[in-house]
Amino acid sequence: NELAKRPGDVQQSPSARVDMAAMLRRVCGAMLMIASGFAAHVPESTCGTAADSHVPDCDRVDMGSCGNACCVVEARFALAPEAVHTALKYTLMYGIDGTYTYVERGDSHGPKSPDDLRPYHITDPRHFEFMLQGTHSTPHYKGENADILDFNIASDGSNGSVLRMFSLSRIHGALSDAGQNYKSLAYLKQHWSLPAADLHVVYGCGQLIKTFV
């Protein structure tokens, strides 16, 4: 006995049901591919939103060393300051993994400051010869919210250079950085054309904050 058909009922053929199932499988497959694509394109220079022991150089989590989280390191080279500046500027300009930029001015209306300090003959407290600025972006913080990178290069008095590098979490409320500030500087070091050099932590980068009160 067949059930009585109600007005407006639509009977699906077996082939139509098979086609619907196949379409659903294709849609789910496409969504998985998109999701895996997003995961695959997380930049290598990024730690994420929490310290991840599986990501190299993300273990130096800073907490409020500069008000916001920050990191200051130094490296020494047996190269003239001009050579260090050229290599560092080139690396920032070409972005490495697309997250770094070289900054000439704060915005399109701001003053354009020269990197070359040699005309000013600065010798105290160091013989500063160059300074420059950049940014580092993460998937969630980019553009005007990207972290700020500052650099200065001084002569060491014996045909070598001292490079000081600084990274600051830019957004309001970034008390902790999940290790990103040190990671940004370490990843930059791994990809520039300068000779191998150790990074020596000067301040922040997860070091214990000294109190004087």
Side-chain angles (χ1 to χ4, degrees):
N1 296 328
E2 291 189 26
L3 293 174
K5 294 182 180 179
R6 293 175 298 176
D9 279 353
V10 177
Q11 291 287 91
Q12 282 190 329
S13 66
S15 62
R17 288 194 292 271
V18 171
D19 288 346
M20 180 64 73
M23 184 180 72
L24 287 172
R25 285 196 297 270
R26 287 196 296 271
V27 170
C28 290
M31 291 176 69
L32 285 172
M33 288 179 65
I34 291 171
S36 62
F38 279 130
H41 286 86
V42 173
E44 290 184 353
S45 62
T46 301
C47 287
T49 56
D52 187 344
S53 60
H54 299 293
V55 180
D57 298 316
C58 289
D59 55 342
R60 294 178 180 266
V61 180
D62 193 69
M63 185 73 73
S65 291
C66 295
N68 272 13
C70 71
C71 182
V72 185
V73 299
E74 284 189 347
R76 291 181 174 268
F77 302 95
L79 293 172
E82 186 172 8
V84 176
H85 170 262
T86 299
L88 181 56
K89 180 178 177 180
Y90 179 89
T91 306
L92 290 170
M93 288 179 66
Y94 287 90
I96 309 176
D97 62 347
T99 62
Y100 293 84
T101 65
Y102 168 70
V103 175
E104 288 187 291
R105 62 184 75 199
D107 56 41
S108 59
H109 304 291
K112 183 178 179 180
S113 301
D115 291 355
D116 192 346
L117 302 175
R118 290 174 295 181
Y120 304 104
H121 304 290
I122 302 170
T123 58
D124 187 35
R126 280 181 173 174
H127 191 165
F128 292 111
E129 296 198 12
F130 293 91
M131 65 183 303
L132 62 162
Q133 190 173 74
T135 66
H136 177 263
S137 300
T138 64
H140 295 293
Y141 303 109
K142 58 187 71 175
E144 63 180 14
N145 291 318
D147 292 344
I148 297 173
L149 308 178
D150 285 321
F151 310 88
N152 65 58
I153 307 163
S155 169
D156 68 358
S158 59
N159 300 317
S161 302
V162 180
L163 169 63
R164 176 168 287 202
M165 306 194 293
F166 170 83
S167 178
L168 172 70
S169 298
R170 188 170 189 170
I171 63 165
H172 172 72
L175 183 67
S176 180
D177 63 359
Q180 184 60 59
N181 284 300
Y182 182 84
K183 171 70 172 179
S184 299
L185 301 177
Y187 193 83
L188 180 65
K189 185 204 80 165
Q190 293 164 12
H191 290 82
W192 60 33
S193 60
L194 293 164
D198 293 329
L199 296 184
H200 301 280
V201 174
V202 176
Y203 182 75
C205 314
Q207 285 191 331
L208 182 67
I209 300 175
K210 295 180 180 179
T211 57
F212 300 94
V213 179

